[in-house]
Amino acid sequence: YKELIDGLLLHEPLNLNVSNIELKDPLMDMLSDVLVGQLQSLTLHNNGFLSIEKTVDFVRDLTENNAKLTHFQWEQNPLSASDFASLADVIIKSKVDSVGFVACCDEGEDSADGYGILERLLMADNKKWESLNLQGNRIQMLGRTCLSDFISTNEYIKTIILKDNMLNDQDVHLIAEALRTNSTLRSIYLESNNNDITETGWSAVRRALCNASSFNSIFGSNHTCYVKLAEGHEPAEILYDQIIVNNGEKGWKENFAIKMHSLILKRHASNSNAFHLNQEFDRNATYTLTPNILEAIYRQISD
């Protein structure tokens, strides 16, 4: 391992991805000794371990000795419930704020439970997660609301990845409702062949991002979150009912203004702007309000 260690010492800061190799105890000891201070990201992918306890200690050493280590991903390494509990305790107590447990649950009797992983991370006291990746963990919500409760109240999370799980329309409805009160989440990924979500669920998400029934309903929509849906259901950078919805690279003001502008254009095409303004506002105020509405949209884009 000398060449590997020498190479690692040349890199600072270091994003380390240990993939498709067995992590034997001597190698972990060597890495623990030399990786001090420069590590900012660690991924363990499809490895073999002689001892999960030793591996947990290895991860603990790296998190304690690398103040810049804020990203950790455990991928395609099966975990038992007790193994996950030990590893989660280490990560939760560390400075890691971007974590992934990907495809680490199987159908074995002792396997970690996907929902249990989700709940443990979401309920961690005083932990300000910025990114959670729980792809491919057979997560079933079964009407439980810990995820939607988290989304509706959390002020720090930026990205949630739930691809390839076992979510359904009820779960997506709860997520959609939660998005209405969240202004910090920038992206959530729900696409999958396993998630049992129909057009009913996808429509609920699109309405949360852009309810184009009125100016007020657009204002009450989510303007910050990009939602990755199933193929053919994309809500971003396309028209939903002829209204452009969120672009994850834009701020909420620009997304909001684009939706308002798109609604006015849609109504203009059917010569119905005056009718709708009369419906939504005082009839006598229609002509005085229109320039103000257009000016407000322009200001939102310009600010």
Side-chain angles (χ1 to χ4, degrees):
Y1 304 122
K2 184 179 183 303
E3 292 80 4
L4 169 64
I5 300 302
D6 291 342
L8 293 177
L9 291 173
L10 297 175
H11 295 275
E12 186 175 346
L14 177 64
N15 298 315
L16 180 61
N17 186 331
V18 184
S19 185
N20 300 316
I21 64 170
E22 183 177 2
L23 274 174
K24 297 181 179 179
D25 292 0
L27 175 57
M28 287 191 283
D29 289 337
M30 293 175 66
L31 290 172
S32 294
D33 289 340
V34 300
L35 295 177
V36 178
Q38 76 266 42
L39 193 61
Q40 64 180 15
S41 173
L42 174 64
T43 297
L44 301 179
H45 169 242
N46 193 32
N47 311 112
F49 310 103
L50 296 178
S51 166
I52 191 65
E53 291 82 5
K54 174 68 175 179
T55 307
V56 171
D57 289 339
F58 167 64
V59 174
R60 179 184 292 108
D61 288 343
L62 293 182
T63 58
E64 291 178 350
N65 295 329
N66 291 272
K68 298 177 182 178
L69 179 53
T70 58
H71 174 80
F72 173 78
Q73 182 145 314
W74 181 276
E75 182 172 355
Q76 291 184 322
N77 290 312
L79 285 169
S80 70
S82 60
D83 293 340
F84 167 73
S86 299
L87 189 54
D89 285 343
V90 170
I91 297 303
I92 289 170
K93 292 175 183 177
S94 74
K95 294 185 178 180
V96 169
D97 58 17
S98 173
V99 65
F101 285 96
V102 177
C104 56
C105 302
D106 56 33
E107 299 183 38
E109 221 173 272
D110 297 328
S111 174
D113 172 63
Y115 178 80
I117 292 176
L118 172 68
E119 184 179 42
R120 178 70 181 96
L121 296 176
L122 297 186
M123 302 300 288
D125 291 335
N126 302 316
K127 193 67 180 180
K128 298 176 181 178
W129 300 116
E130 286 200 2
S131 175
L132 295 171
N133 184 355
L134 299 177
Q135 177 179 351
N137 282 310
R138 305 173 59 81
I139 295 173
Q140 292 181 286
M141 301 302 296
L142 302 177
R144 294 168 289 195
T145 63
C146 75
L147 176 60
S148 55
D149 291 343
F150 176 82
I151 292 173
S152 65
T153 59
N154 189 274
E155 299 178 353
Y156 304 99
I157 191 71
K158 299 292 192 299
T159 302
I160 299 176
I161 301 175
L162 292 169
K163 298 162 57 176
D164 301 318
N165 281 291
M166 302 176 73
L167 306 181
N168 58 28
D169 283 345
Q170 181 184 18
D171 303 326
V172 173
H173 271 281
L174 290 171
I175 291 171
E177 286 302 311
L179 287 174
R180 297 181 192 278
T181 58
N182 183 295
S183 60
T184 55
L185 185 64
R186 292 293 180 266
S187 56
I188 182 167
Y189 295 79
L190 300 171
E191 79 274 26
S192 161
N193 292 322
N194 298 328
N195 285 337
D196 188 20
I197 305 170
T198 69
E199 175 58 25
T200 300
W202 301 134
S203 293
V205 174
R206 290 195 293 265
R207 285 195 301 274
L209 301 182
C210 184
N211 183 341
S213 57
S214 69
F215 286 135
N216 284 333
S217 65
I218 285 184
F219 181 78
S221 301
N222 178 290
H223 306 300
T224 58
C225 187
Y226 165 80
V227 181
K228 176 71 173 178
L229 303 179
E231 193 69 30
H233 297 275
E234 278 298 352
E237 290 295 3
I238 66 167
L239 299 178
Y240 170 55
D241 194 21
Q242 300 183 46
I243 307 298
I244 297 176
V245 297
N246 295 347
N247 179 326
E249 297 180 359
K250 294 181 172 64
W252 78 267
K253 288 185 177 182
E254 189 169 1
N255 281 324
F256 168 61
I258 289 171
K259 294 173 192 176
M260 295 286 280
H261 181 252
S262 298
L263 179 58
I264 290 174
L265 287 180
K266 174 189 173 185
R267 290 175 174 178
H268 176 73
S270 59
N271 297 314
S272 62
N273 267 316
F275 171 79
H276 285 289
L277 287 170
N278 285 332
Q279 294 292 311
E280 294 173 38
F281 304 101
D282 181 87
R283 178 179 295 272
N284 295 324
T286 296
Y287 294 106
T288 58
L289 276 176
T290 301
N292 292 327
I293 291 172
L294 294 174
E295 181 186 5
I297 293 172
Y298 176 78
R299 282 204 308 270
Q300 294 282 14
I301 295 176
S302 302
D303 287 348

